[in-house]
Amino acid sequence: MFIHDDSIKKFDKKIWLASPTMHGEEQKWINDAFDKNWITTAGENINIVEKEIAEYIGRKQAVALSSGTAALHLAIKLAAEKLYGMPQVGHGSLEGRRVFCSDMTFDATLNGVLYENGNPIFIDTEYDSWNMDPVALEKAFEIYPDVKMIVVAHLYGTPGKIKEIREIADRHGALIIEDAAESFGAKVDKVQTGCFGDYSIISFNGNKIITGSSGGMLLCDDVEDANKIRKWSTQSREDAPWYQHEELGYNYRMSNIIAGVVRGQLPHLEEHISQKKAIYERYKEGFKDLPVKMNPIPDNTEANYWLSCMIIDQDAMCQTVRGEKKAIYNAESGKSCPTEILESLMSYNAEGRPIWKPMHMQPLYRMHPFVTSLGNGRAKSNAYIKESGMVDVGVDIFERGLCLPSDVKMSSEEQNIIIEIINRCFI
Ligand SMILES: *Cc1c(COP(=O)(O)O)cnc(C)c1O
């Protein structure tokens, strides 16, 4: 139960979940684009960020696009065409085909599946990394052996069990689209996320570990694939004196101004990661006497610590009910819940956020199948899960977890106040 303390002052300046952190070089490369008048979707900044990021991640090709969502869309479309052939103009390349998708993720992970008229099937989450459960994925292949595409995300900057997922995908002849939007710089056994998909993507949205204000990138190894994506993203213009079109196009290319921001941010990626890691460690230490745990980071991985998250022990949860758009809870001594903690933080001008609500709980996807490690399952309350012994990990993490203020500009003094507020929630 949160007990207000008058000696804690409300923050004058809002403490953000994750806001852009600029360093100055970004302005230099924007100015460079102005000076050279490359104020378009071509120019040196684009060429350089493509080259530098491909090298940094360890892929042969990187294509700069307008957003991570656009990168996912084209990655999914390219994979679909490899698997199922070229669609009629105006028809989705997936046309009702089933695609296995991460369940606890941000909606953009699978928007591209829907844009291409595919049919997402959600795969439950596991507790070790809060990402796609390989056991549930294997179950899903038993139920739907025809599936040939897996779209998998690394949530909050912690890599999932991507090697196990790769092994399963290979055994079933499926392609992997890897959504590393949140995990740029994170590694599995020293290999960068972004290396594990047949096609992978990262994002430069304003809240990500480094930003371009917006923007994204598709990563692959085949130069022809990369050039095809470049062509699709610039309206599929054929090599002809006039506008000649053989394929449907998109206006998805990154602007050279945005690429300038990314170019200036890139040298600061590792600095941001170490600052984010320090934030995670301070929370961990600050919560050591509370009935909570930090989001888990598997031993063979290096996270980028994009967002620090916590999960409340089952028996320290106060009674709470979440409707579609509102939540209520009972303040109980010695216990708390995500809503109470988020409201307490907000009352001091600090921003946290609920865990990304699993896709199988979203009204938009209520008709779509959801597979848990025990086989088929649909959204059930935590109480139901407990009673029935059914495992629906996504619901459980959503009900007990939350994302903490993780802005790299937050000072350790400010973070200590956040920690104090959260400690007071369990009085
Ligand atoms: C941010 C994000 C995206 C989308 O990236 P945008 O650049 O904002 O379009 C996709 N997937 C995940 C998991 C994300 O967090």
Side-chain angles (χ1 to χ4, degrees):
M1 178 195 306
F2 178 68
I3 305 219
H4 191 81
D5 177 355
D6 282 335
S7 70
I8 306 178
K9 266 186 48 222
K10 196 170 163 174
F11 293 108
D12 295 333
K13 248 177 53 205
K14 185 164 178 172
I15 308 291
W16 297 96
L17 183 75
S19 73
T21 300
M22 294 291 119
H23 299 275
E25 290 113 298
E26 300 87 354
Q27 192 67 58
K28 177 176 137 197
W29 297 120
I30 292 173
N31 292 347
D32 187 67
F34 271 73
D35 294 344
K36 294 173 179 160
N37 204 35
W38 283 101
I39 313 291
T40 184
T41 50
E44 191 179 83
N45 287 333
I46 296 175
N47 300 339
I48 288 195
V49 294
E50 284 187 345
K51 189 167 159 289
E52 287 186 346
I53 289 178
E55 270 169 23
Y56 183 86
I57 291 185
R59 295 293 301 243
K60 293 203 181 77
Q61 301 290 327
V63 184
L65 297 167
S66 55
S67 68
T69 310
L72 279 157
H73 182 191
L74 297 188
I76 288 163
K77 178 167 165 134
L78 186 59
E81 289 203 3
K82 301 249 167 184
L83 292 165
Y84 308 120
M86 182 81 114
Q88 296 284 310
V89 170
H91 288 255
S93 57
L94 284 166
E95 228 19 275
R97 311 242 189 204
R98 297 184 177 106
V99 177
F100 294 148
C101 300
S102 285
D103 179 57
M104 204 176 84
T105 186
F106 182 56
D107 189 46
T109 301
L110 56 135
N111 280 352
V113 173
L114 280 294
Y115 298 161
E116 291 301 317
N117 290 347
N119 179 12
I121 292 176
F122 301 112
I123 308 298
D124 200 11
T125 308
E126 41 83 10
Y127 285 110
D128 299 341
S129 75
W130 291 12
N131 283 302
M132 185 187 279
D133 182 354
V135 179
L137 180 65
E138 189 68 71
K139 267 277 177 312
F141 273 112
E142 282 170 27
I143 304 168
Y144 306 102
D146 57 316
V147 172
K148 293 287 170 220
M149 195 188 296
I150 302 165
V151 187
V152 55
H154 305 287
L155 214 64
Y156 302 137
T158 301
K161 294 184 174 170
I162 194 70
K163 288 191 157 174
E164 289 88 329
I165 290 169
R166 168 52 75 191
E167 188 274 318
I168 295 168
D170 288 349
R171 203 152 23 80
H172 293 276
L175 298 179
I176 294 178
I177 311 297
E178 183 191 20
D179 179 356
E182 299 180 3
S183 68
F184 185 23
K187 297 175 204 152
V188 181
D189 293 329
K190 312 268 187 243
V191 178
Q192 293 271 339
T193 59
C195 286
F196 297 94
D198 294 278
Y199 306 107
S200 302
I201 74 99
I202 55 173
S203 163
F204 305 113
N205 182 298
N207 66 6
K208 298 294 184 326
I209 191 118
I210 64 163
T211 182
S213 72
S214 65
M217 221 169 245
L218 184 145
L219 304 152
C220 62
D221 291 320
D222 186 291
V223 66
E224 277 175 36
D225 285 343
N227 285 337
K228 185 162 210 177
I229 297 293
R230 285 192 186 95
K231 179 180 161 190
W232 283 354
S233 71
T234 51
Q235 306 288 22
S236 293
R237 297 196 304 249
E238 296 298 326
D239 186 13
W242 41 80
Y243 288 141
Q244 176 83 6
H245 299 284
E246 294 173 8
E247 293 177 287
L248 182 60
Y250 301 85
N251 186 1
Y252 277 178
R253 193 73 163 128
M254 183 183 279
S255 140
N256 194 47
I257 304 284
I258 302 287
V261 182
V262 175
R263 187 175 175 185
Q265 286 264 287
L266 202 50
H268 299 279
L269 172 61
E270 276 163 31
E271 172 190 334
H272 287 191
I273 294 174
S274 61
Q275 287 163 327
K276 294 266 193 190
K277 183 172 184 181
I279 289 170
Y280 178 94
E281 298 295 344
R282 274 200 295 271
Y283 276 130
K284 194 168 188 174
E285 175 63 24
F287 296 155
K288 65 178 190 304
D289 298 327
L290 294 183
V292 308
K293 288 176 192 63
M294 293 299 289
N295 54 308
I297 296 169
D299 286 344
N300 66 328
T301 67
E302 286 169 57
N304 74 2
Y305 299 90
W306 175 57
L307 291 189
S308 285
C309 305
M310 58 179 260
I311 183 160
I312 301 169
D313 292 351
Q314 187 65 60
D315 51 14
M317 280 284 290
C318 63
Q319 253 190 346
T320 175
V321 179
R322 268 180 173 155
E324 281 305 335
K325 294 186 177 164
K326 281 209 175 86
I328 51 168
Y329 62 90
N330 248 345
E332 287 173 53
S333 103
K335 298 183 176 188
S336 193
C337 63
T339 308
E340 184 179 52
I341 294 172
L342 293 169
E343 284 177 0
S344 306
L345 288 174
M346 206 170 0
S347 73
Y348 288 93
N349 205 20
E351 183 190 38
R353 195 162 291 175
I355 294 295
W356 297 182
K357 185 174 179 175
M359 292 301 122
H360 79 279
M361 299 172 75
Q362 301 286 357
L364 177 60
Y365 301 121
R366 67 188 165 274
M367 302 307 283
H368 289 262
F370 167 61
V371 183
T372 70
S373 58
L374 298 180
N376 258 328
R378 286 301 306 175
K380 294 284 192 300
S381 75
N382 206 20
Y384 177 91
I385 296 164
K386 246 180 123 178
E387 265 166 42
S388 65
M390 179 186 159
V391 188
D392 181 338
V393 179
V395 168
D396 187 33
I397 297 175
F398 175 65
E399 287 184 352
R400 296 193 287 125
L402 68 140
C403 308
L404 297 160
S406 305
D407 199 80
V408 300
K409 293 176 296 317
M410 171 172 67
S411 68
S412 48
E413 292 76 27
E414 288 168 331
Q415 193 182 347
N416 287 340
I417 296 169
I418 306 263
I419 290 169
E420 175 60 26
I421 295 166
I422 293 172
N423 268 275
R424 295 189 69 82
C425 287
F426 287 91
I427 289 177

